[in-house]
Amino acid sequence: MSSRGGKQKKGNVTSEQEEEEQPLQAVLVADSFNRRFFPISKDQPRALLPLGNVAMIDYTLEFLTSTGVQETFVFCCWMSNKIKDHLLKSKWCRPTSPNVVHIITSDLYRSLGDVLRDVDAKNLVRNDFILVYGDVVSNIDVSQALQEHRHRRKVDKNISVMTMVFKESSPGHKTRCEEDDVIVAMDSKSKRVLHYQKTQGLKKLQFPMNIFQHGSDEFEIRHDLLDCHISICSPQVAELFTDNFDYQTRNDFVRGILVNEEILGNQIHLYVTQDGYGARVSNLQMYDSVSLDMVRRWVYPLTPEANFTDQQGQGCTHSRHNVYRGAEVSLGHGSQMEENVLIGRDTSIGANCHISNSVIGNNCTIGDNVVLDRAHMWNNVHVSSNVEIHQSVVCDGAVVKEAVRLNKQCVLAYNVVIGPNLSLPEGTVVSMHHPEEEEEDDDDEFLSDDQEVGHSKDKTRQKAFNPAEVGPEGKGYIWKASMNDTEDEELAQCLWGLVLNPDPESDSESEASEESQDRSRSVSPEIDDVNAFQLEVLGTLQRGLEENIVCDNLVLEINSLKYAYNITLKEVMQILTRVVLEYPFQQQGTQLTTLQYTGSLLPLLKTWSPVFKNYIKRAQDHLDCLSAVEELFLEQDTHQTAMVKVLMKMYQLEILEEEAILKWFSTGATNDKSRQLRKNQGVRRRVRRMSLRRKESAEDESSEEGECGRRGIKTEDLRTV
Amino acid sequence: MPGADKETDLTERIEAFLADLKRGGSGTGPLRGSGEMARETTYLLRRITAQARWSSAGDLMEIIRNEGRRMTAAQPSETTVGNMVRRVLKIIREEYARSRGSSEETEQQESLHKLLTAGELSEENFRQHFVHLKANVIEAINELLTELDGTTDNIAMQALEHIHSNEVIMTVGRSRTVEAFLKDAARKRKFHVIVAECAPFCQGHEMATGLSKVGIETTVIADAAIFAVMSRVNKVIIGTQTVLANGGLRAVNGTHSVALAARHHSTPLIICAPMFKLSPQVFTTIFYPFPGSFSYCLPVLREILSKVNVHCPVFDYVPPELITLFISNIGGNAPSYIYRLMSELYHPEDHKL
């Protein structure tokens, strides 16, 4: 530990020297820009939801302050007034606070990208800054990472734009959020990120070839990393967000940087820490586990009894088995607090209760014979006698009447009343807001929980509460997974984040990549763009065939695709050839016989010959096209004989020139397989014949037209086949 | 207004110190070692005395008591802070008494009769205003600071009286005081030191490196081997985190087993502890915090950890009957004499802040 301590000390000293010139700044995004905590976050922004009876944003600010941040910009959007009030009352806005907090609010922020563009527009950061969300709980010492980041920037002349902080934790650990599950390829020595991909539950993953060719002799592909959502950014990051207005999230940014690495010369690095704790509360599952970790003291020194927010009356005592008690807590006769229990001030608990692994807020009343296991109760909750609560969240002001049972993963949002004598099934979400009110108001796809929802209160009042759902005296509407709307189906899962349901776009994206993965087993050193382009070309041709579109228009479309995906002419041609040759397989499955294959392919070649001609002009183009043909037939071993016909057809349609074919035949044999291909009887014969013809035609060039000669060959061919 | 400036500067310093205390539990934060902690606290208290607004000794004591309460609450496991606050309070009492002209002795002598009749009188006594009181108090705090600076040296000076040639000494974990003590002895004598590594933090490794650097013959053993090795040991010399009022110890985890092993083999157990570690607290059950940052003990979070509760107690309580001798900066004392030192250092009314 001495070496570690020593290093830290040194780090502090150097960073302090630099800090004297420029205070360390941080950008805290106090908005999630998604609706994972709906309907809870309808009443309270996520950053202010209590975790261990302290608002989440306080953990983030404490983390920043303890790392030596002197100036923090808090960006809020959804319910910005509440966040502002909270911060103004907290210790962060006292004049003595070492960390000056600026609050910037705007209703226009829709994403992290908007926030950073605003940072750039307002010119807020002057030096490296730390970027975090308002729901990050961490005690990681980032001074080491900060030092590495600065060192890299000094050595490499500002090439490194971002250092992401990751924590080692093996797959399956409960603080690993499945949505954020990430696979990273990095250079072992320089810690440079080569590839970054969210796994999204995919079984197959694809790595671009160039990461293996990057000159570095050692690199790692890691899946044991937990994204702490803490990143050290240089001021360029904000500028890059401005330049690329389509960057919405950090994920976009990282992918963008990696794809354009060669062009812009920017790099992203990684800092992997082994000790410390860092997690982002991105859904209720995470909320549950982070809250428990907090009570189990993993986030030391941010423990409940430390009262780091310095609020009056928030202090509590800590006793064995991690039982924390606030001031004025009363506990009835025979009640047991087994382990990992945090009870806020002025809370009274009745007799014969059984409490374990739970957090109970301030001013709660709990009746007799109550069983709480992994319950998260916020402030002013009333629980009557004989209630059982398992792994559920009960928000402020909720009332649970007699003999109610909340099964796993229930959520009672603000001021809901439940019961009496009711058992809520697993995963029930009850809110005072009617789900339909929600639907009416958000036709907008992009609505996030930070958008003001017009309250149509009169309407909701008219709708009666369903006593079968919330009990005879209950108040609240059920937000159920089984509602007709698919969006609601997402909701319950999103809240707890148990089942992976990626967004529709990413879904299709992953499918697409899987698909393309199946087909393009070639060792092409290209990235996603090429695959996407290939798919598009295929689609275009298909459509062209179905709707009988003129070839000129097809060319036009392919050209525009070429620009959209930034594909070189050479690649266009190779892909086009490949798509066309694979077309029969696409349409009729891979079980075709060679005869069927050629039968369906040859007419297609004829139809699309103008398209080919448009792209194949120079001699080099011919060779490239031939190599694409060769590559494909190398893969399709069984159909090698068809190659003869394909080549012939292309020759006849004047797609390929005789000269090129001859040249290809004489030069190209690069490996055994392709040599074998060339040895193939048909090909050899064809080519020999071609060369013969060439001599002939050279001899009596004057007498015969080229077309006639070709016709001659054609008839000859028909005879040979 | 320069006065207001001073005041905000002061509160800023206090806040910063409190924050340091909160983050710096068990020696991992910016403040390391109780010696440093004691000095920092005393500097701060001197600053409060100099800069806060007060007109009489009573006011000053109230201010210091308030701040002291906050400081001790910020890091309950670090008793040094509270001890220093008590020392300063005692200084103020003495200086006040001196200014009034009454001798300290009469003030100190508490008879049973006086205890029963005194009541609130004592607070009223401090209302009188003295011009030189501030200067005197600061002067006395400066003396205290010089005393703090010299503690380790004072303890180390006594080393030759306790360590003889060719002895085998055992120690546990790392203590700056013990390290200085052994190093001092090594200048004249040759002896062997066995260091128990003190898992999971393994401070013993550091200790061993430090000792072997100055040429002391050093062996590191696992904690489990303590009892087995004890029969060969002539003396056990250890440090402690706190000396409790009854003469017991609150020391690093594992000390109790060492003390029991030493008792079994009738090996003398010597504690090196500077006077500022003497705390008027006594052992109670709530006095058992686990301020462990567990990730140190379990570097790799495995899947199974989700289902496991990990407890990592950091301190042991060692009862006074297992201890042979305390070596402090004012000399060697038996555990039974601690009560006397206590009453010399702290005023009985300050035991509870």
Side-chain angles (χ1 to χ4, degrees):
Chain A
M1 218 166 81
S2 83
S3 65
R4 192 172 161 277
K7 248 186 244 165
Q8 262 176 10
K9 202 169 184 182
K10 225 196 248 166
N12 285 342
V13 169
T14 49
S15 62
E16 263 164 29
Q17 281 168 354
E18 279 169 47
E19 272 161 24
E20 273 171 9
E21 304 153 20
Q22 294 257 297
L24 182 59
Q25 293 173 311
V27 170
L28 193 157
V29 185
D31 205 314
S32 52
F33 302 117
N34 65 35
R35 325 171 37 163
R36 285 290 149 84
F37 275 70
F38 245 49
I40 301 172
S41 55
K42 247 181 146 167
D43 296 291
Q44 189 88 324
R46 193 200 284 191
L48 294 189
L49 301 184
L51 184 101
N53 293 344
V54 175
M56 286 199 238
I57 195 170
D58 287 329
Y59 289 102
T60 317
L61 281 167
E62 171 67 22
F63 158 70
L64 290 175
T65 311
S66 64
T67 44
V69 172
Q70 285 161 304
E71 199 175 15
T72 308
F73 299 98
V74 178
F75 286 83
C76 19
C77 181
W78 172 240
M79 299 214 168
S80 50
N81 288 337
K82 281 197 175 180
I83 299 181
K84 205 168 179 174
D85 287 350
H86 174 85
L87 288 178
L88 288 176
K89 267 188 263 167
S90 73
K91 77 165 181 174
W92 314 110
C93 285
R94 287 184 202 158
T96 54
S97 166
N99 184 1
V100 183
V101 174
H102 304 277
I103 305 161
I104 297 163
T105 61
S106 163
D107 288 338
L108 297 174
Y109 301 136
R110 287 281 171 276
S111 68
L112 177 71
D114 291 336
V115 168
L116 283 171
R117 280 185 273 278
D118 203 41
V119 168
D120 187 43
K122 290 185 174 144
N123 221 349
L124 295 175
V125 292
R126 297 175 295 279
N127 208 337
D128 295 342
F129 64 97
I130 298 177
L131 175 67
V132 285
Y133 280 100
D135 44 15
V136 168
V137 177
S138 172
N139 64 357
I140 293 173
D141 182 14
V142 296
S143 56
Q144 181 83 24
L146 203 64
Q147 205 190 340
E148 278 178 23
H149 180 77
R150 284 180 174 147
H151 177 73
R152 263 196 295 269
R153 285 181 58 77
K154 217 178 268 172
V155 171
D156 289 342
K157 294 274 169 271
N158 299 345
I159 280 179
S160 172
V161 289
M162 190 194 253
T163 303
M164 296 192 283
V165 179
F166 280 76
K167 171 164 175 39
E168 258 182 28
S169 78
S170 42
H173 191 259
K174 69 181 164 126
T175 49
R176 273 177 79 113
C177 176
E178 293 215 359
E179 292 150 30
D180 282 338
D181 213 22
V182 88
I183 194 150
V184 179
M186 68 165 185
D187 191 317
S188 312
K189 277 181 199 141
S190 64
K191 299 270 178 278
R192 183 155 70 87
V193 179
L194 301 172
H195 184 69
Y196 176 92
Q197 194 181 356
K198 294 208 172 185
T199 53
Q200 309 265 26
L202 289 181
K203 288 279 184 292
K204 287 182 195 165
L205 292 159
Q206 216 177 356
F207 294 96
M209 278 301 288
N210 57 348
I211 67 167
F212 304 101
Q213 298 161 344
H214 248 293
S216 128
D217 21 331
E218 260 182 73
F219 67 91
E220 301 164 12
I221 295 177
R222 304 188 65 158
H223 188 232
D224 65 336
L225 297 178
L226 169 74
D227 190 351
C228 302
H229 290 275
I230 301 162
S231 17
I232 301 163
C233 307
S234 47
Q236 277 151 280
V237 171
E239 290 164 26
L240 282 167
F241 267 97
T242 311
D243 293 344
N244 299 280
F245 52 86
D246 55 331
Y247 288 173
Q248 295 300 323
T249 61
R250 196 183 72 163
N251 202 22
D252 290 345
F253 175 78
V254 172
R255 288 179 66 169
I257 290 285
L258 292 179
V259 167
N260 297 325
E261 191 178 312
E262 273 124 52
I263 306 163
L264 300 170
N266 292 323
Q267 297 178 345
I268 292 179
H269 288 83
L270 209 63
Y271 175 77
V272 179
T273 174
Q274 287 184 333
D275 42 37
Y277 185 91
R280 185 177 170 209
V281 182
S282 48
N283 54 37
L284 277 183
Q285 184 74 31
M286 287 293 286
Y287 177 87
D288 180 42
S289 49
V290 171
S291 177
L292 261 183
D293 286 343
M294 167 76 50
V295 173
R296 286 178 177 159
R297 307 176 73 81
W298 285 98
V299 203
Y300 184 83
L302 296 182
T303 47
E305 93 277 13
N307 187 19
F308 62 88
T309 51
D310 222 4
Q311 272 164 347
Q312 281 289 311
Q314 269 296 0
C316 55
T317 58
H318 172 220
S319 40
R320 273 186 186 221
H321 305 297
N322 291 333
V323 174
Y324 304 84
R325 258 170 288 197
E328 308 290 323
V329 167
S330 75
L331 194 62
H333 186 76
S335 282
Q336 277 186 6
M337 294 190 282
E338 284 186 349
E339 51 174 11
N340 306 322
V341 179
L342 168 59
I343 301 175
R345 84 184 115 86
D346 298 326
T347 289
S348 67
I349 295 171
N352 299 318
C353 295
H354 240 264
I355 305 173
S356 59
N357 300 316
S358 298
V359 175
I360 300 169
N362 302 330
N363 280 319
C364 294
T365 47
I366 292 172
D368 300 338
N369 303 316
V370 173
V371 177
L372 302 177
D373 181 40
R374 298 188 84 166
H376 302 274
M377 286 195 208
W378 299 355
N379 302 330
N380 305 314
V381 173
H382 292 267
V383 176
S384 305
S385 302
N386 306 316
V387 170
E388 255 183 71
I389 300 180
H390 298 279
Q391 202 189 2
S392 297
V393 174
V394 183
C395 299
D396 286 7
V399 177
V400 182
K401 303 246 174 191
E402 286 255 332
V404 170
R405 186 188 157 91
L406 298 188
N407 285 314
K408 277 186 177 182
Q409 295 167 12
C410 286
V411 176
L412 302 186
Y414 291 87
N415 304 319
V416 161
V417 182
I418 289 288
N421 303 318
L422 189 75
S423 170
L424 286 186
E426 195 170 310
T428 317
V429 179
V430 186
S431 166
M432 289 304 278
H433 299 278
H434 198 278
E436 273 167 35
E437 163 197 341
E438 161 71 10
E439 275 163 42
E440 283 156 18
D441 292 327
D442 67 322
D443 306 334
D444 192 347
E445 269 277 304
F446 300 103
L447 183 106
S448 64
D449 63 8
D450 37 74
Q451 204 158 29
E452 187 59 52
V453 180
H455 285 273
S456 46
K457 279 201 172 157
D458 308 329
K459 227 182 257 175
T460 46
R461 287 282 167 267
Q462 286 164 11
K463 290 166 190 157
F465 306 115
N466 183 353
E469 285 176 345
V470 293
E473 293 165 33
K475 286 180 192 166
Y477 305 101
I478 295 230
W479 288 49
K480 235 192 302 188
S482 57
M483 300 260 317
N484 47 5
D485 203 346
T486 49
E487 203 176 307
D488 281 318
E489 199 166 309
E490 251 167 56
L491 166 102
Q493 294 164 340
C494 282
L495 263 171
W496 287 96
L498 275 184
V499 189
L500 253 181
N501 52 332
D503 312 329
E505 328 125 67
S506 61
D507 203 5
S508 64
E509 199 179 81
S510 56
E511 265 172 33
S513 59
E514 253 182 307
E515 233 176 77
S516 59
Q517 197 183 11
D518 287 341
R519 277 186 295 107
S520 68
R521 253 165 273 119
S522 68
V523 203
S524 65
E526 305 308 331
I527 1 172
D528 290 336
D529 274 358
V530 174
N531 290 327
F533 177 74
Q534 188 170 348
L535 281 180
E536 291 277 0
V537 170
L538 178 66
T540 311
L541 291 181
Q542 234 164 359
R543 209 149 26 80
L545 208 63
E546 282 159 14
E547 298 168 19
N548 245 336
I549 296 172
V550 192
C551 280
D552 283 351
N553 292 347
L554 286 180
V555 169
L556 210 61
E557 251 180 76
I558 293 173
N559 274 345
S560 63
L561 286 174
K562 165 179 174 271
Y563 291 117
Y565 289 96
N566 194 16
I567 304 281
T568 64
L569 200 61
K570 181 180 166 185
E571 284 165 351
V572 172
M573 207 178 48
Q574 284 176 336
I575 289 167
L576 184 69
T577 317
R578 169 170 278 274
V579 168
V580 171
L581 294 183
E582 277 180 349
Y583 197 81
F585 296 126
Q586 274 299 317
Q587 299 299 315
Q588 298 163 36
T590 47
Q591 308 305 325
L592 285 178
T593 63
T594 312
L595 214 61
Q596 282 169 317
Y597 174 71
T598 44
S600 57
L601 181 67
L602 295 181
L604 287 175
L605 276 176
K606 189 161 184 184
T607 333
W608 287 326
S609 66
V611 182
F612 277 105
K613 278 181 196 160
N614 187 64
Y615 287 107
I616 303 173
K617 284 178 178 148
R618 293 171 300 145
Q620 187 58 43
D621 299 341
H622 288 268
L623 286 181
D624 289 339
C625 175
L626 276 167
S627 65
V629 174
E630 179 184 350
E631 201 175 288
L632 182 105
F633 280 104
L634 280 177
E635 278 169 36
Q636 306 283 352
D637 288 338
T638 48
H639 298 302
Q640 278 187 2
T641 42
M643 185 181 177
V644 188
K645 290 195 179 163
V646 170
L647 283 183
M648 195 59 222
K649 188 76 186 170
M650 288 176 107
Y651 172 66
Q652 285 162 5
L653 294 169
E654 295 180 48
I655 297 169
L656 292 175
E657 277 176 13
E658 184 183 343
E659 216 169 312
I661 298 177
L662 289 174
K663 193 173 174 195
W664 164 77
F665 184 76
S666 56
T667 55
T670 44
N671 56 36
D672 286 348
K673 259 189 145 182
S674 54
R675 213 166 289 139
Q676 218 173 359
L677 185 77
R678 283 185 178 75
K679 274 185 191 155
N680 182 312
Q681 276 289 311
V683 178
R684 209 157 47 177
R685 203 180 322 148
R686 175 68 23 76
V687 173
R688 207 185 304 128
R689 203 157 290 154
M690 255 187 213
S691 55
L692 275 175
R693 257 236 43 84
R694 232 175 103 72
K695 275 178 201 156
E696 270 173 45
S697 64
E699 278 164 19
D700 44 29
E701 205 174 49
S702 52
S703 62
E704 259 183 282
E705 289 293 309
E707 265 181 346
C708 291
R710 276 184 199 118
R711 209 173 294 133
I713 288 182
K714 193 174 162 192
T715 47
E716 235 177 276
D717 274 330
L718 287 174
R719 262 183 281 123
T720 51
V721 167
Chain B
M1 235 174 82
D5 257 9
K6 255 187 192 171
E7 208 124 287
T8 51
D9 177 52
L10 182 64
T11 40
E12 214 166 286
R13 269 168 190 279
I14 295 172
E15 294 299 330
F17 184 68
L18 286 176
D20 276 353
L21 280 176
K22 279 182 185 177
R23 283 170 207 141
S26 63
T28 50
L31 289 176
R32 271 180 292 274
S34 36
E36 204 177 325
M37 195 84 84
R39 260 195 301 282
E40 284 292 323
T41 318
T42 319
Y43 278 129
L44 191 66
L45 291 174
R46 187 177 65 178
R47 194 176 275 271
I48 292 174
T49 316
Q51 292 182 352
R53 287 186 196 171
W54 52 277
S55 54
S56 67
D59 292 346
L60 179 62
M61 281 163 66
E62 199 49 48
I63 293 169
I64 287 184
R65 210 171 280 147
N66 273 332
E67 295 303 336
R69 230 174 272 145
R70 286 179 63 197
M71 288 181 210
T72 42
Q75 188 53 263
S77 68
E78 190 55 79
T79 46
T80 317
V81 178
N83 298 344
M84 293 331 287
V85 172
R86 291 185 185 99
R87 287 289 287 273
V88 170
L89 285 174
K90 165 94 172 167
I91 285 172
I92 299 168
R93 284 173 198 277
E94 281 173 1
E95 289 304 321
Y96 180 83
R98 221 153 53 98
S99 308
R100 269 201 349 171
S102 59
S103 85
E104 301 154 37
E105 283 306 310
T106 50
E107 194 76 16
Q108 187 99 55
Q109 293 298 324
E110 297 269 4
S111 69
L112 190 59
H113 174 71
K114 226 174 159 188
L115 272 176
L116 286 169
T117 53
E120 263 90 86
L121 274 172
S122 59
E123 280 300 312
E124 270 177 22
N125 286 344
F126 293 101
R127 290 283 156 236
Q128 227 166 317
H129 179 75
F130 293 106
V131 189
H132 295 295
L133 185 62
K134 193 179 202 171
N136 289 342
V137 169
I138 290 176
E139 185 58 34
I141 296 178
N142 281 339
E143 274 169 32
L144 175 61
L145 277 169
T146 1
E147 185 201 316
L148 288 178
D149 283 334
T151 42
T152 316
D153 290 339
N154 284 334
I155 294 174
M157 265 172 11
Q158 305 166 46
L160 290 178
E161 296 165 27
H162 298 280
I163 298 176
H164 308 290
S165 286
N166 297 323
E167 271 188 333
V168 179
I169 314 279
M170 181 187 272
T171 185
V172 176
R174 178 164 189 244
S175 153
R176 285 169 183 69
T177 321
V178 173
E179 198 176 335
F181 190 81
L182 294 174
K183 279 178 181 170
D184 197 81
R187 287 187 295 119
K188 289 242 176 86
R189 309 253 155 87
K190 252 188 104 58
F191 54 94
H192 189 126
V193 178
I194 294 171
V195 184
E197 64 173 0
C198 208
F201 299 106
C202 292
Q203 307 100 316
H205 297 180
E206 276 173 58
M207 178 79 159
T209 346
L211 292 177
S212 54
K213 263 186 197 143
V214 294
I216 302 174
E217 208 179 324
T218 314
T219 313
V220 178
I221 57 165
D223 296 336
I226 287 172
F227 187 80
V229 174
M230 190 57 86
S231 58
R232 297 185 49 212
V233 173
N234 299 103
K235 272 188 191 86
V236 179
I237 301 178
I238 55 173
T240 179
Q241 208 255 351
T242 307
V243 180
L244 300 169
N246 61 351
L249 299 182
R250 191 171 67 149
V252 68
N253 213 7
T255 313
H256 195 185
S257 54
V258 171
L260 287 170
R263 163 55 49 97
H264 185 87
H265 290 282
S266 297
T267 314
L269 177 66
I270 299 176
I271 315 293
C272 289
M275 288 312 290
F276 61 77
K277 289 194 174 173
L278 189 55
S279 163
Q281 286 172 298
V282 276
F283 173 76
T284 49
T285 42
I286 42 162
F287 199 63
Y288 224 118
F290 311 120
S293 150
F294 303 127
S295 40
Y296 286 114
C297 355
L298 297 154
V300 187
L301 292 176
R302 295 219 178 279
E303 198 174 324
I304 190 79
L305 270 190
S306 315
K307 299 171 186 97
V308 172
N309 269 333
V310 189
H311 289 282
C312 177
V314 171
F315 299 122
D316 253 355
Y317 168 69
V318 183
E321 55 270 21
L322 299 178
I323 296 159
T324 317
L325 188 69
F326 282 103
I327 301 175
S328 72
N329 45 329
I330 52 170
N333 293 107
S336 52
Y337 193 66
I338 292 294
Y339 87 97
R340 182 66 214 159
L341 294 174
M342 195 73 70
S343 63
E344 265 172 32
L345 289 175
Y346 310 117
H347 195 273
E349 277 177 30
D350 297 332
H351 283 184
K352 196 163 185 296
L353 279 176

